Amino acid sequence: MQKTVVLVKPDGLQRGLVGEIINRFERKGLKLVGIKMVRLTHDILDEWYAHHKDKSFFSDLKKFMMWTPIVAMVWEGLDVIPAVRKIVGTTKGREAEAGSIRGDFGMSGQHNLIHASDSPEAAEKEMHLLFENHEVFGYGSLADELVYSKEER
Ligand code: CMP
């Protein structure tokens, strides 16, 4: 099954939304296979946001992401990358769909609470930047038999 990386950003941590965010993915039927608290560094963020390095907001974005530790997670499921991005909502909280995490809890384009990988390549890169192999777990989930049909498992 596919894996995706989710970060609860410093604003999400400060606002006490870690539990709410985890709950939304759990109740969807996704499987948590890695979780830890991390203080991001310039080196990690230069790689993480390499595609934004020429944007005017790049240095502000890095400062924001280093404000406090973040909570990093790896979630697993069928087509989990697009499924998680739907739950997260579009970048700007004030424009994000009601019912999504950003749509329900945010107003900002930068302080948008959460990050989710946007492609399998990004998920792979992000997982390697933040997790050692032994920190991402493979285990059987009893819930999978309820969440997915036999053909989907
Ligand atoms: P995300 O989509 O997770 O990854 C890129 C991040 O850059 C984005 O969330 C925001 O936190 C930030 N970002 C995107 N657009 C802007 C912007 N116009 N101004 C400031 N920050 C932005």
Side-chain angles (χ1 to χ4, degrees):
M1 290 230 180
Q2 195 172 62
K3 290 184 179 62
T4 192
V5 178
V6 168
L7 306 182
V8 180
K9 296 183 179 182
D11 55 327
L13 184 69
Q14 292 282 1
R15 290 183 54 191
L17 290 172
V18 176
E20 170 73 33
I21 287 169
I22 290 174
N23 184 241
R24 288 189 176 218
F25 296 133
E26 281 185 327
R27 73 186 190 194
K28 175 75 171 167
L30 307 184
K31 184 172 162 187
L32 184 61
V33 294
I35 183 165
K36 63 178 175 179
M37 208 162 191
V38 182
R39 197 172 268 285
L40 297 173
T41 62
H42 279 287
D43 285 350
I44 293 173
L45 287 164
D46 283 343
E47 275 204 62
W48 193 281
Y49 287 130
H51 51 298
H52 288 313
K53 75 174 189 330
D54 297 324
K55 304 261 172 67
S56 56
F57 57 80
F58 184 60
S59 68
D60 275 354
L61 174 61
K62 285 208 305 182
K63 215 186 293 169
F64 164 59
M65 293 297 286
M66 292 188 292
W67 174 30
T68 67
I70 53 88
V71 177
M73 296 177 250
V74 182
W75 289 89
E76 192 178 87
L78 189 60
D79 297 329
V80 73
I81 292 173
V84 161
R85 287 183 67 84
K86 272 216 159 115
I87 296 168
V88 166
T90 50
T91 304
K92 231 182 246 177
R94 58 188 176 275
E95 292 172 6
E97 309 75 6
S100 66
I101 292 169
R102 288 169 174 162
D104 285 353
F105 299 108
M107 285 295 286
S108 171
Q110 183 178 80
H111 294 191
N112 60 1
L113 305 165
I114 183 168
H115 165 90
S117 312
D118 63 6
S119 66
E121 297 72 32
E124 197 63 27
K125 168 181 144 179
E126 293 166 1
M127 215 155 40
H128 282 118
L129 277 170
L130 292 188
F131 289 86
E132 306 280 344
N133 285 341
H134 70 271
E135 294 174 321
V136 179
F137 295 84
Y139 64 96
S141 163
L142 296 177
D144 279 357
E145 293 187 25
L146 300 167
V147 171
Y148 299 104
S149 72
K150 209 163 157 195
E151 297 70 45
E152 291 168 326
R153 287 201 292 273

